[in-house]
Amino acid sequence: MNDMKKTRSGISRRLTSSVLLLALLLGLPPLQAQAQAPRDPVVLNFVNADIPSVIKAVGELTGKNFVIDPRVKGTVMITSARAVSRDQVYPILLAALRMQGYSAVESRGVIKIVPEAEAKQHFSETRGKEFRDGGDRIVTQVYPLAYESAAQMMTVLRPLIGPNNAIAALPNSNTLVITDYAENMRRLNAIIESVDQPGANDTALIKLSHVSAVDLAQSLGRLMADGAAAAGQPAGSRLTIVPDVRSNSLLVRSDNPSRIQTLRALVAGLDVAGAAGGNIHVVYLRNAEAAKLAETLRGILSGQASALPAAAAAPGAAAAASQTGGASSVSGATGGSMILADPATNSLVINASDVTYNALRAVIDKLDARRAQVFVEALVVEITAEKAAEFGIQWQDLRGIEKSGTNVIGGTNLGGRNTGSNIIDASVNLGSLGQGLNIGVVSGTIDIPGLGVVTNLGMLARALESDANANILSTPNLLTMDNEEAKIVVGQNVPFITGQYAQTGTTTTANPFQTIERRDVGLTLKVRPQVSEGGSVKLQIYQEISSLRPTTTASDVITDKRSIDSTVLVDDGRIIVLGGLIQDTMQDGIDKIPLLGDLPLLGHMFRSEKRQRMKTNLMVFLRPHVLRDTASSDALTGERYDFIRQRQADFRMQPHFALPDMQMEPLPELKNLPQPAPGNPPTPPSP
């Protein structure tokens, strides 16, 4: 049996040698001849072979698809003293290409052979933190660090990565992004895993017994930040101090353990008991009003509701209370405490024990938050169409008044007096006739007892047709703070007569007088917004639209008024309709002489007809925008400011040969001053 195996092995070797010899005679590469051999192991023997030809032979042997960059040129030498398996042929090719300055990038079943300098720009296999593969192919890894700084780690790993490959650090997420050969990536991962370990002193909890954690965190944060900058420490050496108001402790984290030890020594020296009678602290407020907040804190200590609620108290009353000794002494759990408000600096002066002050300081830090602002856009659209028509003929005969004896006079008196269409009013004063076509027959004048000398108007024919359309669009805008009422009025201040007196009798000097009340006529918008944490806005709205009616029939002016008083709930940035009016009025009137006015055709000579139709469409829309930070406020202000600047730039006076040029100077560009970094309290004034 063993003799048979040896015989078969010898035949296989001779067959392989014959195939290689035939390949050399035919000019085929040795690897291609070996691929045609029936056995799996192959012997590699490339001496100054062309690189594209070698890649093609490997592709035929392994079944892989290659895309070769035209810049991939040159020769390669690959020799093997012993036969190797076909699974090792592809890694051997990658090692040979890497030595020639070329890389393989695997992507979706295709292997791209490109120069090493451009490999990182192509799509490559991307892995996460868990990476165990090897080889000389280009891969990308996203490695999030748990303890060490990504910026500091990048400086350590950069010399270990090829000059043509890349490494980057993302400080915000503390993550490394590396593109390199898979074999080198395994070494880098081993280094990162051994270094990225929790330190013994990178996080610390410092409990406080006397001072406030909020006050001490602010002071130490500024002190340590300025000290690090002065000492020239790297930016990656971070120090984070977070106050925990519930336990009155400091949570400290740093990349440098020595900084934590320094901080512990500072806290130990500052956390000492105050005087037995209490301590006096000054707290400068950023957003809240000192007088209102002082009343709230007094109510907390006394266990009673504040006499001056923050949402309803008038600012003037609160300031007056604080200026006139509004501070009250209340009894706390550890003794008497006193809270004063200083409106001039918008600060609180607190005289309390350490325990009481620490509790109050935690409340102040939550209440002294930046309040949101609400920008309210209102849209009022009113479309009115009015059509009217009038036609009538009136007669009268007054000639019999001037004759003696018994005479007959008469006429048709159609339409009300003082309406501009009555024939009697026209006889007394032709100027009282209304607008339209007026045709009459006049025969001199006549003296009527009680009226005097009037025009002898025998016939009056009137015809009128009017058509009036109005499209009124108003867009009032308001910006106000959360839970604060804002009001805008655009219109006229009109005087209304509320009373009058005229002196009568035998007195020669009269002393009449009138009492007048002025009222706003136009557009009025009052809004009180209340922002919820979910993003919706509760709006208490009062909107009024009033106008003067052009009429002379009343003893005083007449105003048309349309108002809305409502409370609505709307999401931030959404449009809501508050209400509206859709009105269509039609009037048809006729004044006529009985019997004569009903005659066909001839009846028009003895009647007066009026028709009128008026359509009114009124809608009110509203949209609130919640502005929670300075950036959103600046964006809104800049948009409106640029709109006005553009409108001003579009307005230009035409040049005139005699009149001087009176162009206005353009508005300057809007530049907001830089805001202080969040978390830094305002600097107290110097004594």
Side-chain angles (χ1 to χ4, degrees), residues 592-607:
K592 62 182 179 179
I593 303 300
L595 299 179
L596 295 178
D598 296 329
L599 296 176
L601 298 178
L602 189 60
H604 290 286
M605 305 294 292
F606 301 96
R607 63 188 179 193

Side-chain angles (χ1 to χ4, degrees), residues 529-603:
Q530 184 177 355
V531 182
S532 64
E533 291 296 330
S536 59
V537 183
K538 179 182 178 182
L539 297 172
Q540 298 179 7
I541 306 161
Y542 176 77
Q543 185 152 10
E544 176 184 312
I545 305 171
S546 57
S547 59
L548 297 176
R549 177 175 295 182
T551 179
T552 58
T553 58
S555 59
D556 203 349
V557 295
I558 298 177
T559 59
D560 295 328
K561 177 180 177 181
R562 296 168 294 279
S563 64
I564 295 177
D565 191 353
S566 178
T567 301
V568 297
L569 186 67
V570 58
D571 292 336
D572 180 18
R574 307 295 294 181
I575 299 177
I576 189 173
V577 57
L578 295 182
L581 170 67
I582 301 177
Q583 184 178 9
D584 194 348
T585 305
M586 297 183 63
Q587 295 180 354
D588 189 5
I590 181 172
D591 294 336
K592 62 182 179 179
I593 303 300
L595 299 179
L596 295 178
D598 296 329
L599 296 176
L601 298 178
L602 189 60

Side-chain angles (χ1 to χ4, degrees), residues 99-255:
M99 296 180 64
Q100 298 296 327
Y102 303 116
S103 301
V105 181
E106 299 180 2
S107 173
R108 301 178 182 176
V110 178
I111 303 173
K112 294 182 289 187
I113 307 299
V114 297
E116 185 183 44
E118 298 184 5
K120 59 179 177 292
Q121 300 176 359
H122 292 265
F123 174 80
S124 59
E125 184 180 357
T126 304
R127 298 291 185 88
K129 185 176 182 179
E130 300 298 330
F131 183 81
R132 295 292 182 267
D133 298 340
D136 291 315
R137 54 195 179 91
I138 294 294
V139 294
T140 300
Q141 184 182 20
V142 180
Y143 199 114
L145 301 180
Y147 306 101
E148 293 296 328
S149 170
Q152 291 183 349
M153 185 66 70
M154 184 181 68
T155 59
V156 176
L157 300 179
R158 190 68 190 92
L160 304 179
I161 299 176
N164 293 324
N165 296 323
I167 180 173
L170 303 178
N172 293 336
S173 59
N174 201 35
T175 304
L176 291 173
V177 180
I178 308 174
T179 300
D180 200 3
Y181 291 99
E183 190 67 28
N184 191 36
M185 200 76 73
R186 297 176 58 184
R187 181 181 65 158
L188 298 178
N189 287 351
I191 296 175
I192 295 175
E193 290 178 1
S194 61
V195 175
D196 190 29
Q197 299 293 332
N201 298 318
D202 61 346
T203 303
L205 174 65
I206 305 176
K207 288 186 172 292
L208 303 177
S209 301
H210 306 285
V211 298
S212 170
V214 177
D215 291 342
L216 194 58
Q218 294 177 354
S219 302
L220 293 177
R222 293 196 301 267
L223 176 64
M224 301 300 287
D226 296 341
Q233 296 186 7
S237 182
R238 297 174 300 175
L239 176 64
T240 305
I241 305 175
V242 179
D244 181 48
V245 295
R246 184 183 62 85
S247 61
N248 196 36
S249 304
L250 294 178
L251 300 175
V252 184
R253 181 178 179 181
S254 176
D255 296 335

Side-chain angles (χ1 to χ4, degrees), residues 311-441:
S322 61
Q323 292 174 355
T324 56
S328 59
S329 178
V330 295
S331 299
T334 58
S337 303
M338 185 172 62
I339 303 174
L340 287 171
D342 183 25
T345 59
N346 195 36
S347 58
L348 297 175
V349 181
I350 302 176
N351 186 6
S353 62
D354 293 337
V355 176
T356 304
Y357 173 73
N358 292 338
L360 292 177
R361 193 64 180 86
V363 176
I364 294 172
D365 189 60
K366 287 180 169 45
L367 296 180
D368 188 27
R370 179 187 177 92
R371 296 172 61 184
Q373 298 185 96
V374 181
F375 179 73
V376 181
E377 292 180 294
L379 177 63
V380 182
V381 183
E382 182 178 1
I383 302 175
T384 304
E386 182 177 359
K387 294 183 178 181
E390 179 182 352
F391 181 78
I393 299 177
Q394 302 176 58
W395 304 85
Q396 70 177 359
D397 186 6
L398 304 177
R399 291 174 296 178
I401 294 179
E402 296 181 344
K403 298 179 181 179
S404 60
T406 302
N407 298 290
V408 177
I409 62 173
T412 59
N413 180 12
L414 305 179
R417 296 293 303 273
N418 300 323
T419 60
S421 62
N422 189 271
I423 193 173
I424 297 179
D425 294 336
S427 299
V428 177
N429 182 12
L430 292 177
S432 64
L433 289 174
Q435 59 183 357
L437 178 62
N438 298 279
I439 300 176
V441 177

Side-chain angles (χ1 to χ4, degrees), residues 570-644:
V570 58
D571 292 336
D572 180 18
R574 307 295 294 181
I575 299 177
I576 189 173
V577 57
L578 295 182
L581 170 67
I582 301 177
Q583 184 178 9
D584 194 348
T585 305
M586 297 183 63
Q587 295 180 354
D588 189 5
I590 181 172
D591 294 336
K592 62 182 179 179
I593 303 300
L595 299 179
L596 295 178
D598 296 329
L599 296 176
L601 298 178
L602 189 60
H604 290 286
M605 305 294 292
F606 301 96
R607 63 188 179 193
S608 176
E609 299 177 79
K610 294 181 181 180
R611 291 182 180 179
Q612 185 178 12
R613 181 177 182 180
M614 184 170 59
K615 298 179 66 176
T616 302
N617 295 323
L618 174 65
M619 288 292 172
V620 180
F621 301 89
L622 204 68
R623 176 167 61 181
H625 296 275
V626 181
L627 310 177
R628 299 185 181 274
D629 51 16
T630 307
S632 55
S633 301
D634 292 345
L636 177 65
T637 304
E639 178 185 354
R640 297 299 191 269
Y641 191 82
D642 292 341
F643 175 79
I644 293 299

